[in-house]
Amino acid sequence: MPGYQLIQEKYLSPPLPADKGVKANNRRIGFLDFLKELEDEHFPYHEESSLCVVGLEDVLLFARPEMTAMAHNIHQKLQRAARHFENNNCFWVQIVFRSELVRGETLRVNHPAVELPIFLIFGSPPPENIGEHAVCYRCSFNLSSI
């Protein structure tokens, strides 16, 4: 069942060769633009949208010191859009991170300035190994309550 694929940019192809990385989705979009489009009157995505969403790290960093509140707000917006993603047969939406995703008790992004609480948005799905060295985290569009 499709949903969100949380992945580090270093595991995508490109920049990795096609036989070494996870194929990046075709339509690259910034995270704020993505959220704005989710609020459009007519849901803009469908089974061929192939979204690669970048910039969530920057959105959370900019929100400091209210990063937790911003993460909860993003979670709510994504949760409201879940039914639309499912009804329109959307495939995996890649959420791309520059910094390392770390799964301990919760899922976080190990940004040089501060750990980003990604678990407040997507929960803490288990890691999935893709190929020899690539790891991603997948969760459904219908995000559980945090």
Side-chain angles (χ1 to χ4, degrees):
M1 177 168 200
Y4 297 105
Q5 180 184 44
L6 313 177
I7 191 164
Q8 288 176 245
E9 189 168 36
K10 71 179 185 179
Y11 295 135
L12 293 177
S13 172
L16 290 176
D19 62 335
K20 302 247 189 243
V22 176
K23 184 179 181 323
N25 286 348
N26 296 331
R27 182 172 176 213
R28 194 171 178 97
I29 184 171
F31 200 84
L32 288 177
D33 291 332
F34 174 65
L35 290 179
K36 183 179 177 191
E37 288 185 3
L38 292 180
E39 295 178 347
D40 283 352
E41 185 176 328
H42 300 288
F43 190 74
Y45 305 121
H46 49 79
E47 67 275 357
E48 295 177 15
S49 293
S50 190
L51 295 174
C52 184
V53 184
V54 298
L56 174 55
E57 290 161 291
D58 297 328
V59 171
L60 291 174
L61 287 169
F62 186 73
R64 287 185 301 173
E66 302 298 325
M67 192 173 3
T68 299
M70 176 60 82
H72 285 295
N73 183 287
I74 292 168
H75 174 87
Q76 290 171 345
K77 288 180 180 188
L78 295 179
Q79 184 61 32
R80 280 194 299 270
R83 176 178 45 88
H84 298 295
F85 277 113
E86 291 168 356
N87 290 345
N88 287 284
N89 298 319
C90 293
F91 197 61
W92 291 103
V93 173
Q94 292 173 330
I95 308 293
V96 179
F97 298 91
R98 292 183 312 268
S99 300
E100 181 183 11
L101 287 161
V102 178
R103 174 112 177 6
E105 187 175 316
T106 59
L107 183 62
R108 298 179 178 273
V109 172
N110 193 16
H111 189 273
V114 64
E115 279 193 336
L116 304 176
I118 301 304
F119 71 95
L120 294 174
I121 302 169
F122 300 103
S124 292
E128 252 184 62
N129 292 324
I130 303 172
E132 289 183 34
H133 304 290
V135 175
C136 75
Y137 300 84
R138 295 181 190 222
C139 57
S140 73
F141 290 123
N142 191 5
L143 301 170
S144 60
S145 296
I146 307 296

